[in-house]
Amino acid sequence: MVAVLVSYPENCTGCRFCEMICSLYHEGAVNTKKARLRVQKPDIMNDIPLVCTQCITCGDRCCIDSCPEDAISVVDGVVTIDGGLCTACGNCKKACPYGVIWIDKTAHKCDLCGGDPMCVKFCPSGALRFEEADKDSYASLLTAWRDD
């Protein structure tokens, strides 16, 4: 079974360590705007960590299908951007319902830190976990990918 990054909003304190460590790990500086996940605060009581690695929740392959250069694909169960093909057109950013893709010279999104997500390691409250995918959800995802 494939491991996925799962958010547990009920545990999130809104500390944003996940965003900080993500940008530090990938960009070499703490800059939450360059993190590959987002903590949304829909109201004063709730914080929701949002991340997308499998395009599983929206039920569509929104960023994959929006890319005119075929720079986004599924590699080893993870939606991945090929920086060599990406033209930074921004279509994937517009298509992502979670707002977790950002653009500079190329598009960036969560890559699971090579299989050892730093956001999970540094989350002090257990709001993010890297765990086996729910069997039914993962079966739906595989069906969607095979329709490619």
Side-chain angles (χ1 to χ4, degrees), residues 2-13 18 37 48-54 56 110 112 115-134:
V2 170
V4 297
L5 198 54
V6 180
S7 159
Y8 289 87
E10 66 276 15
N11 294 341
C12 185
T13 63
C18 55
L37 72 161
I48 303 171
L50 297 174
V51 64
C52 184
T53 56
Q54 280 87 15
I56 192 169
C110 179
L112 296 175
D116 190 19
M118 294 294 120
C119 56
V120 173
K121 280 184 164 179
F122 284 87
C123 178
S125 60
L128 293 167
R129 297 181 196 158
F130 192 51
E131 58 192 21
E132 283 190 8
D134 171 79

Side-chain angles (χ1 to χ4, degrees), residues 73-87:
S73 61
V74 178
V75 178
D76 296 330
V78 178
V79 177
T80 304
I81 298 172
D82 182 335
L85 295 175
C86 178
T87 60

Side-chain angles (χ1 to χ4, degrees), residues 12-80:
C12 185
T13 63
C15 69
R16 301 177 74 186
F17 276 10
C18 55
E19 293 177 338
M20 290 185 249
I21 194 65
C22 179
S23 64
L24 182 61
Y25 179 77
H26 289 287
E27 304 301 323
V30 175
N31 182 343
T32 57
K33 292 180 181 175
K34 293 186 175 183
R36 287 149 169 86
L37 72 161
R38 298 280 179 258
V39 176
Q40 297 290 322
K41 189 168 188 64
D43 57 53
I44 195 165
M45 296 297 293
N46 295 298
D47 298 289
I48 303 171
L50 297 174
V51 64
C52 184
T53 56
Q54 280 87 15
C55 246
I56 192 169
T57 311
C58 65
D60 293 322
R61 301 166 348 119
C62 38
C63 61
I64 295 171
D65 291 341
S66 71
C67 181
E69 305 299 330
D70 294 326
I72 305 174
S73 61
V74 178
V75 178
D76 296 330
V78 178
V79 177
T80 304

